[in-house]
Amino acid sequence: MSMDSVKSVLTQSLDSHEVSRRRLIQLATAAGISAAAAPGLLYVRSVGAQDGESGGEIVVGLNYEMDSLDPAVTPYAVSHWVMMNMFDTLVWRGTDGSFYPGLADSWEINEDGTLYTFKLKEGVTFHDGTPFNADAVKYAMDHIVDPATKSGFASSLLGPYDKTEVIDEYTAAISFTAPYAPFLDSASQAFLASSSPTAVQADPTAYLRNPVGTGFMKFVEWVPNDHITLVRNDDYNWAS
């Protein structure tokens, strides 16, 4: 079961009742989250919305404070639980283990597994209005491997990364110095999701706590050791 499958199960479970901590841990374990990280999921409950109505809130209780919400920097699974709502990935991994389109409509892999070419969705924008395109994918990958970023986990998911080439506005070719079969799995995780280049370049330090993605939820605020607030992205119309 993928992380996004867990999110789907939780969302379907939010019909005016809480999901138990034990069930959360079971779901987390099925998604491959470590035993150390799973207990950080305390509960999920719905607030305000009645049956058949839109709106209301979903409250997720977590047991750990995140270090940051910059996908390129944080190594924490608890951060991923929040980021997966604000960021889209190039591909999604289904419960059947297969990979499906995300921000990439399609992709091709060369024979020796050293080159992955992605055809990207058109009309996608980051929450700050910056267009998502091949340049944004290149920026994300190069930013991760930049020593100045001090990537905590994402760099390991890139394995023997070589470079990203912009073929055209909506085609990005990611190459490796050696065959790298796990890359689609890596690309399905929020740690490799694209952030708004505009936001990161404006202030990389501030971005650690002010993430800007393309996801169905948008960041509002982070009060340390208290809460993180997200709101629905009303412009989101590029779901897989």
Side-chain angles (χ1 to χ4, degrees):
M1 179 179 290
S2 68
M3 291 280 287
D4 300 290
S5 299
V6 174
K7 179 178 68 175
S8 176
V9 172
L10 291 177
T11 302
Q12 294 170 20
S13 300
L14 294 176
D15 184 13
S16 302
H17 69 277
E18 298 188 1
V19 178
S20 72
R21 183 184 181 200
R22 174 175 292 182
R23 179 58 176 152
L24 281 168
I25 293 174
Q26 291 173 340
L27 291 168
T29 302
I33 300 174
S34 69
L41 307 169
L42 294 180
Y43 66 90
V44 177
R45 64 186 175 89
S46 59
V47 180
Q50 302 298 316
D51 290 349
E53 295 181 351
S54 62
E57 300 177 352
I58 297 176
V59 179
V60 180
L62 300 173
N63 195 8
Y64 297 109
E65 178 74 354
M66 285 135 284
D67 62 331
S68 86
L69 288 172
D70 182 342
V73 176
T74 181
Y76 294 146
V78 68
S79 297
H80 195 281
W81 275 88
V82 180
M83 294 187 305
M84 64 195 289
N85 300 285
M86 296 181 291
F87 295 91
D88 291 313
T89 52
L90 287 173
V91 300
W92 298 105
R93 183 176 180 179
T95 56
D96 60 357
S98 299
F99 295 98
Y100 298 93
L103 288 182
D105 279 329
S106 63
W107 54 90
E108 295 180 356
I109 307 171
N110 69 349
E111 289 186 4
D112 66 0
T114 60
L115 181 65
Y116 292 72
T117 303
F118 295 93
K119 291 289 187 180
L120 308 175
K121 287 184 182 296
E122 299 184 20
V124 177
T125 59
F126 290 96
H127 300 150
D128 61 0
T130 300
F132 170 79
N133 51 31
D135 286 321
V137 173
K138 175 176 172 57
Y139 180 82
M141 300 302 161
D142 291 347
H143 177 61
I144 288 170
V145 298
D146 185 344
T149 301
K150 299 180 180 179
S151 174
F153 180 63
S155 58
S156 69
L157 292 177
L158 278 179
Y161 175 76
D162 181 24
K163 63 183 178 181
T164 299
E165 182 180 359
V166 175
I167 306 301
D168 58 43
E169 186 174 6
Y170 295 107
T171 308
I174 301 175
S175 62
F176 301 88
T177 59
Y180 191 46
F183 182 58
L184 286 183
D185 182 68
S186 296
S188 71
Q189 300 184 46
F191 296 110
L192 291 192
S194 293
S195 293
S196 165
T198 303
V200 177
Q201 292 171 337
D203 191 336
T205 301
Y207 187 80
L208 297 174
R209 289 176 173 263
N210 294 275
V212 181
T214 64
F216 72 98
M217 300 292 284
K218 300 192 294 185
F219 176 83
V220 176
E221 68 172 356
W222 180 352
V223 177
N225 297 303
D226 189 87
H227 69 271
I228 293 174
T229 301
L230 312 178
V231 297
R232 185 176 64 183
N233 179 9
D234 290 330
D235 295 327
Y236 192 76
N237 63 358
W238 47 83
S240 176

